[in-house]
Short mmCIF file of all heavy atoms in Angstrom, two decimals:
data_model
loop_
_atom_site.label_atom_id
_atom_site.label_comp_id
_atom_site.label_asym_id
_atom_site.label_seq_id
_atom_site.Cartn_x
_atom_site.Cartn_y
_atom_site.Cartn_z
N ASP C 265 129.17 108.62 65.81
CA ASP C 265 129.06 110.08 65.93
C ASP C 265 129.32 110.53 67.36
O ASP C 265 130.02 111.49 67.61
CB ASP C 265 127.65 110.54 65.51
CG ASP C 265 127.58 110.84 64.02
OD1 ASP C 265 128.53 110.50 63.31
OD2 ASP C 265 126.57 111.42 63.58
N ARG C 266 128.72 109.81 68.30
CA ARG C 266 128.79 110.28 69.68
C ARG C 266 130.10 109.90 70.36
O ARG C 266 130.58 110.63 71.22
CB ARG C 266 127.60 109.75 70.49
CG ARG C 266 126.27 110.41 70.08
CD ARG C 266 125.14 109.96 70.95
NE ARG C 266 125.35 110.30 72.34
CZ ARG C 266 124.97 111.43 72.91
NH1 ARG C 266 124.35 112.33 72.20
NH2 ARG C 266 125.22 111.65 74.17
N PHE C 267 130.67 108.77 70.00
CA PHE C 267 131.88 108.33 70.70
C PHE C 267 133.15 108.63 69.91
O PHE C 267 134.19 108.92 70.50
CB PHE C 267 131.82 106.83 70.99
CG PHE C 267 130.80 106.47 72.02
CD1 PHE C 267 129.71 105.69 71.70
CD2 PHE C 267 130.93 106.92 73.33
CE1 PHE C 267 128.76 105.36 72.65
CE2 PHE C 267 129.98 106.59 74.29
CZ PHE C 267 128.89 105.81 73.94
N ALA C 268 133.09 108.53 68.59
CA ALA C 268 134.32 108.67 67.82
C ALA C 268 134.39 109.99 67.07
O ALA C 268 135.37 110.27 66.39
CB ALA C 268 134.44 107.51 66.83
N GLY C 269 133.33 110.80 67.18
CA GLY C 269 133.40 112.11 66.54
C GLY C 269 133.19 112.10 65.04
O GLY C 269 133.61 113.02 64.34
N SER C 270 132.53 111.08 64.51
CA SER C 270 132.26 111.09 63.08
C SER C 270 131.07 112.02 62.80
O SER C 270 130.52 112.63 63.71
CB SER C 270 131.97 109.67 62.59
OG SER C 270 130.82 109.18 63.21
N HIS C 271 130.69 112.13 61.54
CA HIS C 271 129.74 113.20 61.18
C HIS C 271 128.51 112.73 60.44
O HIS C 271 127.93 113.48 59.67
CB HIS C 271 130.45 114.24 60.30
CG HIS C 271 131.69 114.78 60.90
ND1 HIS C 271 131.69 115.57 62.02
CD2 HIS C 271 132.98 114.60 60.57
CE1 HIS C 271 132.93 115.88 62.34
NE2 HIS C 271 133.74 115.29 61.48
N PHE C 272 128.10 111.47 60.62
CA PHE C 272 126.96 110.98 59.85
C PHE C 272 125.76 111.92 59.94
O PHE C 272 125.13 112.23 58.95
CB PHE C 272 126.54 109.60 60.35
CG PHE C 272 127.41 108.50 59.88
CD1 PHE C 272 128.30 107.87 60.73
CD2 PHE C 272 127.36 108.09 58.56
CE1 PHE C 272 129.11 106.85 60.29
CE2 PHE C 272 128.16 107.07 58.10
CZ PHE C 272 129.04 106.44 58.97
N PHE C 273 125.45 112.32 61.15
CA PHE C 273 124.23 113.12 61.33
C PHE C 273 124.58 114.50 61.88
O PHE C 273 123.80 115.11 62.57
CB PHE C 273 123.25 112.38 62.23
CG PHE C 273 123.01 110.98 61.79
CD1 PHE C 273 123.38 109.90 62.58
CD2 PHE C 273 122.44 110.72 60.55
CE1 PHE C 273 123.17 108.60 62.14
CE2 PHE C 273 122.24 109.43 60.11
CZ PHE C 273 122.60 108.36 60.90
N ASP C 274 125.79 114.94 61.57
CA ASP C 274 126.27 116.21 62.10
C ASP C 274 126.02 117.29 61.06
O ASP C 274 126.74 117.39 60.06
CB ASP C 274 127.75 116.07 62.42
CG ASP C 274 128.36 117.39 62.85
OD1 ASP C 274 127.59 118.38 62.94
OD2 ASP C 274 129.56 117.43 63.10
N VAL C 275 124.98 118.09 61.27
CA VAL C 275 124.63 119.07 60.24
C VAL C 275 125.70 120.14 60.08
O VAL C 275 125.82 120.72 59.01
CB VAL C 275 123.27 119.73 60.54
CG1 VAL C 275 122.16 118.74 60.27
CG2 VAL C 275 123.19 120.25 61.95
N GLN C 276 126.50 120.37 61.10
CA GLN C 276 127.56 121.38 60.96
C GLN C 276 128.60 120.96 59.92
O GLN C 276 129.18 121.79 59.27
CB GLN C 276 128.26 121.57 62.31
CG GLN C 276 127.97 122.90 62.95
CD GLN C 276 126.72 122.82 63.80
OE1 GLN C 276 126.49 121.82 64.44
NE2 GLN C 276 125.93 123.87 63.82
N ALA C 277 128.82 119.65 59.80
CA ALA C 277 129.83 119.18 58.87
C ALA C 277 129.20 118.78 57.53
O ALA C 277 129.82 118.08 56.75
CB ALA C 277 130.58 117.99 59.46
N GLY C 278 127.98 119.20 57.30
CA GLY C 278 127.33 118.86 56.04
C GLY C 278 126.50 117.59 56.10
O GLY C 278 125.95 117.16 55.10
#
Side-chain angles (χ1 to χ4, degrees):
Chain C
D265 270 11
R266 290 185 60 90
F267 290 116
S270 63
H271 306 292
F272 282 107
F273 309 116
D274 174 3
V275 287
Q276 250 88 37

